[in-house]
Amino acid sequence: MELLALTAAEVRQALPMSAAIKGMKEAFARLSAGKGVMPLRSRVATERGVSLFMPAYAEGDESLAVKVVSVFPDNSQKNLPVVAGVVLVVAADTGMPVALLEGSVLTAIRTGAASGAATDVLARREARVAAIIGSGVQARTQLEAICAVREIEEVRVYSRSKVNRERFVAEVAGRNGITERVYSAETAGEAVAGAEIICAATTSSEPVFAADEVALGAHINGVGSYTAEMQEVDVTGLRGGRVYVDSLEAAWAEAGDLIRPWQAGEIEKDFVVGELGAVLNGEVEGRLGGDDITYFKSVGVAIQDARAAAMVVQRARELGLGQLVSL
């Protein structure tokens, strides 16, 4: 048996952001249409971090894969990635393993692409000012993705570490379709004030900006929180906010942004308008007016990985990327 092994650099080469955004729209649309199999991810927690096991199958493009990804926050002190993982791609017609992909880059790209898809569907067409809360790997692909679907002219970046956010600014400004006008903000409020697109990519357990600082008409992407205990965005404070998710089942199991206010009796489950895929399929309305505040909450779902991995393998074969490994 031979596997096509692909490095992080090869995954990145095979999956440009514009293609990834298109792929995520397809994945979300199929998920909401019931054309996929996606058990809730299993998690194994240790005293240092958590490992997640995420299988999925999507009909139509025959995407079948499983991702194993670990999030160990203390790794940053060991000069190791906080997020690390691999994706195993399986042939849907035979069940034979066909490829093994570096998973952290795939995760970052598909997570950014999900926000790119949501921004394209929900944000105002004329949006030009963006705020990024966070300065890690996920924040980079968030910014790249929103710049792929909107003509962003100004970006404000905030994270708790001034060193990290200034490094982020230096590394992204003027690259990968990003404007040169990228600034380090001293507070989250400074970053968010007047921003038309906001992306939160942190591991915070409390809201990372004040809801009343969000301008009418803004669109928010929240991708950092992925457990019931984590919360980046105060959804109850958004003025008439319209909330969308990647998966209703996954969101109500893992999205602390929704679970915490629901458990406190502040919202009901119908507070969520619906899945992004349902908007793409024309089953649920998206933005209704220019003053709507729209919020896309993503916990990340395995069908994204399966679709992205299938795209990577196809493109890698066309480009002659990767190395065949005999098992």
Side-chain angles (χ1 to χ4, degrees):
M1 180 171 59
E2 289 186 331
L3 285 180
L4 179 65
L6 293 160
T7 66
E10 289 167 335
V11 170
R12 187 178 293 108
Q13 183 178 349
L15 191 61
M17 184 56 73
S18 58
I21 292 171
K22 181 176 182 292
M24 292 308 96
K25 287 182 178 179
E26 294 167 349
F28 289 137
R30 287 176 180 146
L31 177 63
S32 294
K35 296 180 178 179
V37 179
M38 192 188 71
L40 283 176
R41 57 184 156 208
S42 300
R43 63 179 65 235
V44 177
T46 73
E47 64 277 7
R48 298 294 185 184
V50 61
S51 293
L52 309 173
F53 301 83
M54 304 169 60
Y57 167 66
E59 298 175 16
D61 55 32
E62 298 302 292
S63 301
L64 177 59
V66 59
K67 182 173 75 173
V68 180
V69 62
S70 297
V71 183
F72 278 57
D74 291 347
N75 279 4
S76 60
Q77 301 170 16
K78 304 172 184 177
N79 201 28
L80 292 172
V82 171
V83 180
V86 294
V87 178
L88 178 66
V89 180
V90 179
D93 57 343
T94 66
M96 294 295 293
V98 295
L100 187 67
L101 285 58
E102 197 281 334
S104 59
V105 164
L106 184 85
T107 299
I109 294 172
R110 66 81 152 153
T111 303
S115 290
T119 300
D120 197 27
V121 172
L122 298 172
R124 292 186 301 176
R125 286 288 156 192
E126 65 272 20
R128 296 292 181 267
V129 179
I132 305 294
I133 310 298
S135 57
V137 173
Q138 297 286 355
R140 285 166 167 75
T141 57
Q142 292 292 303
L143 180 54
E144 183 181 346
I146 63 174
C147 288
V149 298
R150 292 294 185 272
E151 296 179 12
I152 301 300
E153 297 174 352
E154 179 181 321
V155 180
R156 299 88 163 265
V157 180
Y158 173 76
S159 69
R160 289 180 298 177
S161 168
K162 184 175 182 178
V163 171
N164 288 349
R165 69 175 182 261
E166 291 186 345
R167 182 186 300 121
F168 179 98
V169 169
E171 290 175 353
V172 305
R175 302 179 185 179
N176 297 321
I178 298 169
T179 178
E180 293 184 355
R181 297 179 61 194
V182 183
Y183 307 107
S184 171
E186 292 299 320
T187 65
E190 180 183 329
V192 168
E196 297 157 300
I197 300 172
I198 302 167
C199 294
T202 75
T203 56
S204 179
S205 59
E206 300 296 334
V208 293
F209 53 82
D212 61 6
E213 294 174 326
V214 177
L216 290 175
H219 170 70
I220 305 167
N221 298 306
V223 304
S225 56
Y226 57 92
T227 72
E229 295 72 36
M230 301 167 73
Q231 184 179 14
E232 291 183 299
V233 177
D234 171 18
V235 296
T236 61
L238 298 176
R239 291 164 287 173
R242 293 178 60 80
V243 179
Y244 302 84
V245 296
D246 46 11
S247 160
L248 285 166
E249 182 183 16
W252 286 115
E254 300 176 327
D257 303 66
L258 301 173
I259 294 170
R260 289 175 67 174
W262 174 67
Q263 290 177 335
E266 298 170 350
I267 63 171
E268 299 295 333
K269 287 194 173 181
D270 61 5
F271 182 79
V272 176
V273 177
E275 294 178 343
L276 181 63
V279 180
L280 289 162
N281 291 335
E283 299 167 352
V284 169
E285 289 184 308
R287 173 176 291 274
L288 298 179
D291 284 344
D292 285 347
I293 295 176
T294 54
Y295 172 43
F296 173 61
K297 175 57 203 162
S298 171
V299 293
V301 289
I303 201 166
Q304 295 176 252
D305 301 300
R307 182 70 189 111
M311 295 173 69
V312 168
V313 172
Q314 179 180 348
R315 187 60 176 158
R317 286 171 173 163
E318 294 172 356
L319 297 175
L321 301 175
Q323 181 178 352
L324 286 174
V325 178
S326 296
L327 300 180

